[in-house]
Amino acid sequence: MSGKWFTKRWALALTALASLLVVVAVACGGGEATTTAPQATKAPAAPRAAATAKPAAAAATSVPAAPTATAVAKAVAIATAAPAAAAASGPQGKVTWAIRVVEGIYGMPFIGPYRGSAGGSLGIYEYMFWYDKGDAMAPMMAESWSIDPAGTKVTMKIRKGIAWQSPIDAPGLVLGDFDADDFEWWMNTSNATTNPESTHGDAGDFAAIFLKTTKLDAYTVEIGLVAPLYFGLPLSEFGLLGAASGPRSKKAFDKMGLKWSSDREIGTGPYVMGKCIPNERCAVEALTKHWRQIGNVATIDTVQVPETTTRVAMMKSGAADLAELDFKTVPDLIKDPTSGIRYLETMPGGYVGQSLIYSGNLWQEFHARTGAALNPWAAPPYEKDYPWIGNPWGDASTGKCTVSATCKSVPYTDTNNPAGMDDMEQARLVRLALGTAMNRDEINKVILGNLGTPIYSEYMGPEYPGWDPKRWTGEWSYNSRTATKAGAVGVGVLWELKFDIAAADALLDKAGYPKKADGTRFDMSIQAYPAEAGEVSLTVADALGSMLGKVGVKVDQLREDYGGVISPRMRLRTQWMPVIKNGDVHSNVWPVDLPYPPVDSSISRPGWGIGFETNPLAEWHFAINSEKDKAKRTAMHMATADYMIYQQLYNGLFQVPKGVAATKRIASWQGPQMHYSNVSANPEFLVLSK
């Protein structure tokens, strides 16, 4: 990296964001953990040893009013209930991490809800590959992998001697080593192709790449490929090709059953689950022996503290060492010399972004992998004419299908399009107008304290590889992989979409939505929740409602549970309201020669999707996967960004650096780069100050 980069990164190192439980270990069902709580003592028991393991290898706003003494006392009592020191040798000490929500344990992620599991980012799981020295496919649990010349299958060898770690409440349980039996079972139960009932968060990502997994011998597996793929697999901790999930234990499942396995986190990592009470606290304990890396910290205890002000108070008092904070409180907090709090980037260079996503734009008639008819015109998003959803299936005056042999009629007759303008262009102009009305610089200045950056699409923005603010997209048909007009200056949409109220008004007028007597044009419901960037998303949603109101769009902000309500609608492609969150691009570290995510098309069906589907995204995904030439992959990647910025299916909003608020007790935490996590999932690299 350049010196200029490091100068900017250090300037940003005073920012704060922590979203502990992101999509590193997505969810599944299960009840409360049944682990036995350790006794509260002044000194802890020594960290556990592995059952069978080889020796380890080497905009500014005011801070909210202080919380009540009762709230602080309760949080501190919880935080200090567990052991506080370490054994004389090996991993040392305890770190307390105050977070907004302590999730339940979802040990079998193919049968439950799409949400984070309590221990998913706490060093319990490992991955087949990880990011090392610039390589997102550096071997970890895998020893090697190879693709046959025709690109029809991958053969992968598993590293020997990696032990499944027994949980704290079953210290005598021996589960053996991770092998081909475990991998074959895990992949075939998780993959939506081999198990259509899988609700694993990566089910669709696996299905986009893999067919059936077959064991060849005790440590070798073979996986069929949907299409040729030569440069990577969705089996990396980095999140390559959309997936970031560690294997689960078939041995534990067979020996102890579904309920037992679902209620526990069984992995091969350097930490094991300790006491865990959902919605209260969850701890992990370090092993004293591990095949790869021993953790430096003996106990990491996450404590649920819903109020930001209480989390801040805990850090100031020393009751918490790390904290998830509402980003809008950070600029003032880190300027306070008495706070003792700084921002710790656990994966320097990584940002997490947030956009307004226009789910409901279902433009694919047939499934990209299977060819099955999807009948999108019959989906709930087309039950009425939403201004931001384009309908390519019907004639503006008759409501008759004109572009499909299988579509006989559309749900509504579209009568409000201007003369000569179809519904696809009308809806695109609406989305572009709303994106033009968003004052991203104000969001960054007023809410984020100039500590983040604007983005203009989930697919591209500052700090992304390939970013060019002066690039024009060209003009694109919704269904074409080729621009109808070349991307010359002034043609299409400028990548750096400028805030311009007058231009936004003109676009909405052109789209056929003039202002009415009361100054409004149409109503829009937007869904917001504490998404990947944390609670600041709700503040941005409030600001966005005000901004769009200035161009006559009356915004109603609807807050629903993401895991229980919004995510299932996205998975089923029934979501029609725009949502403030991110999709599977998630952050700026998406490599410039990789295909964009399969979840933005029908490829991931029946797994989770972002809620819109387009043919070009599906076609480009497979085309880039099968291309051996990096330069050609890069060109297709950039063209995909052009298409998406032109179509504005994501109105990019902002991005903030990945990391966590820390006290001086924390010396460093330099984890490997991860695409989907906001905080490193490798706490074995967390170091305490001496």
Side-chain angles (χ1 to χ4, degrees):
M1 294 183 185
S2 69
K4 180 179 179 181
W5 170 262
F6 275 107
T7 299
K8 184 169 185 180
R9 297 304 304 152
W10 280 113
L12 287 167
L14 296 177
T15 56
L17 159 74
S19 181
L20 167 66
L21 301 169
V22 208
V23 191
V24 176
V26 272
C28 74
E32 286 193 355
T34 56
T35 50
T36 302
Q39 297 297 314
T41 58
K42 293 183 179 179
R48 298 183 68 242
T52 55
K54 294 181 179 180
T61 55
S62 299
V63 177
T68 65
T70 301
V72 174
K74 180 179 179 181
V76 170
I78 294 174
T80 55
S89 62
Q92 299 287 314
K94 171 195 162 191
V95 164
T96 299
W97 192 341
I99 64 175
R100 189 176 59 84
V101 177
V102 172
E103 294 281 3
I105 294 178
Y106 310 111
M108 294 286 107
F110 48 82
I111 61 166
Y114 183 85
R115 62 190 312 131
S117 187
S121 298
L122 291 174
I124 292 174
Y125 299 109
E126 295 180 295
Y127 300 80
M128 303 309 295
F129 306 92
W130 65 340
Y131 194 96
D132 184 41
K133 299 179 179 65
D135 181 8
M137 287 292 291
M140 192 184 206
M141 297 175 76
E143 186 175 277
S144 64
W145 64 285
S146 61
I147 306 290
D148 69 308
T152 63
K153 61 185 177 182
V154 55
T155 302
M156 186 167 58
K157 290 190 175 295
I158 295 169
R159 191 186 302 270
K160 296 179 181 179
I162 300 177
W164 289 111
Q165 308 298 345
S166 59
I168 292 294
D169 67 335
L173 180 64
V174 177
L175 297 173
D177 288 355
F178 170 63
D179 59 20
D181 282 326
D182 294 299
F183 185 88
E184 178 189 53
W185 168 81
W186 170 66
M187 181 57 65
N188 287 335
T189 53
S190 300
N191 185 347
T193 293
T194 49
N195 178 20
E197 300 302 316
S198 172
T199 55
H200 194 298
D202 292 330
D205 301 291
F206 291 148
I209 305 297
F210 294 137
L211 300 172
K212 184 179 179 181
T213 299
T214 303
K215 170 186 171 182
L216 298 183
D217 62 38
Y219 290 94
T220 309
V221 294
E222 179 182 280
I223 318 173
L225 294 174
V226 171
L229 170 65
Y230 299 101
F231 60 87
L233 302 171
L235 295 172
S236 172
E237 180 184 51
F238 176 75
L240 196 68
L241 294 171
S245 177
R248 300 302 195 263
S249 174
K250 179 178 187 294
K251 296 175 178 63
F253 180 86
D254 289 344
K255 193 168 188 175
M256 306 302 291
L258 176 61
K259 179 65 168 61
W260 188 94
S261 301
S262 295
D263 288 347
R264 290 162 180 80
E265 309 268 16
I266 307 296
T268 64
Y271 283 84
V272 294
M273 184 65 74
K275 177 181 179 180
C276 193
I277 304 173
N279 299 312
E280 185 174 315
R281 69 181 308 145
C282 202
V284 294
E285 297 184 13
L287 299 165
T288 57
K289 293 181 180 179
H290 189 258
W291 74 274
R292 176 179 56 82
Q293 176 76 40
I294 297 173
N296 295 298
V297 178
T299 302
I300 301 173
D301 195 12
T302 57
V303 181
Q304 177 165 307
V305 185
E307 302 83 10
T308 296
T309 49
T310 306
R311 296 196 292 271
V312 170
M314 289 176 67
M315 295 189 77
K316 289 181 176 180
S317 71
D321 308 296
L322 300 169
E324 173 185 3
L325 298 181
D326 184 347
F327 204 96
K328 73 174 186 285
T329 70
V330 172
D332 282 351
L333 182 63
I334 61 178
K335 292 175 184 176
D336 179 2
T338 67
S339 73
I341 298 171
R342 76 188 195 284
Y343 183 67
L344 185 67
E345 290 187 70
T346 63
M347 297 172 285
Y351 283 77
V352 58
Q354 216 80 123
S355 300
L356 183 64
I357 303 171
Y358 291 101
S359 299
N361 283 280
L362 304 174
W363 304 340
Q364 287 190 265
E365 185 176 351
F366 300 103
H367 196 293
R369 287 186 293 105
T370 69
L374 298 176
N375 302 319
W377 45 83
Y382 289 108
E383 289 179 355
K384 61 178 292 187
D385 187 7
Y386 296 103
W388 54 90
I389 295 179
N391 172 19
W393 312 109
D395 180 85
S397 60
T398 66
K400 300 293 184 182
C401 283
T402 57
V403 298
S404 167
T406 57
C407 175
K408 304 304 180 185
S409 64
V410 292
Y412 61 86
T413 299
D414 192 349
T415 60
N416 68 354
N417 293 348
M421 183 182 296
D422 64 17
D423 196 62
M424 295 297 286
E425 178 64 4
Q426 182 190 44
R428 188 191 73 84
L429 291 177
V430 167
R431 297 190 299 270
L432 178 60
L434 300 187
T436 304
M438 296 174 182
N439 192 335
R440 297 166 177 83
D441 290 334
E442 182 179 332
I443 290 172
N444 189 40
K445 178 181 178 180
V446 176
I447 300 176
L448 308 178
N450 284 324
L451 300 171
T453 79
I455 58 173
Y456 306 95
S457 167
E458 166 134 334
Y459 278 38
M460 189 56 69
E463 311 294 348
Y464 283 60
W467 167 245
D468 180 359
K470 297 182 179 180
R471 178 169 170 135
W472 290 80
T473 64
E475 296 180 358
W476 297 82
S477 162
Y478 81 93
N479 217 22
S480 174
R481 281 178 55 195
T482 304
T484 55
K485 291 186 180 179
V489 173
V491 177
V493 177
L494 186 66
W495 271 22
E496 187 176 35
L497 186 61
K498 301 292 187 180
F499 165 66
D500 190 330
I501 288 290
D505 275 325
L507 285 166
L508 289 169
D509 288 340
K510 183 179 179 180
Y513 290 101
K515 282 188 177 179
K516 295 176 281 193
D518 63 357
T520 65
R521 299 177 189 269
F522 56 80
D523 295 349
M524 170 185 276
S525 291
I526 291 177
Q527 292 187 307
Y529 68 102
E532 292 80 359
E535 294 159 299
V536 71
S537 299
L538 302 177
T539 304
V540 172
D542 292 336
L544 196 61
S546 175
M547 291 174 186
L548 299 185
K550 293 178 181 178
V551 293
V553 178
K554 185 179 178 182
V555 174
D556 172 41
Q557 189 182 140
L558 179 62
R559 298 186 182 181
E560 294 182 300
D561 176 64
Y562 176 73
V565 179
I566 303 172
S567 175
R569 285 203 297 250
M570 285 181 154
R571 180 173 182 265
L572 296 172
R573 278 63 172 182
T574 61
Q575 176 73 17
W576 69 93
M577 289 174 282
V579 182
I580 295 180
K581 71 176 305 292
N582 61 32
D584 265 16
V585 174
H586 189 87
S587 74
N588 66 302
V589 295
W590 196 272
V592 75
D593 66 318
L594 258 63
Y596 284 108
V599 299
D600 289 0
S601 69
S602 64
I603 294 174
S604 66
R605 285 185 183 239
W608 184 83
I610 202 62
F612 58 72
E613 297 178 341
T614 79
N615 280 320
L617 293 182
E619 293 166 8
W620 265 312
H621 185 88
F622 289 126
I624 294 176
N625 279 350
S626 61
E627 179 54 63
K628 297 181 181 180
D629 187 319
K630 182 174 181 177
K632 292 180 180 178
R633 292 199 306 268
T634 299
M636 287 188 278
H637 176 104
M638 297 289 277
T640 313
D642 284 337
Y643 170 90
M644 285 297 284
I645 292 173
Y646 183 75
Q647 291 293 344
Q648 285 291 299
L649 290 168
Y650 290 97
N651 289 153
L653 291 169
F654 68 92
Q655 62 182 0
V656 287
K658 297 181 177 183
V660 63
T663 67
K664 294 178 180 179
R665 189 165 177 264
I666 307 299
S668 64
W669 188 353
Q670 293 286 314
Q673 193 65 250
M674 297 175 63
H675 184 70
Y676 286 111
S677 182
N678 293 3
V679 181
S680 173
N682 298 97
E684 63 269 27
F685 300 121
L686 196 161
V687 179
L688 296 178
S689 299
K690 294 182 180 179

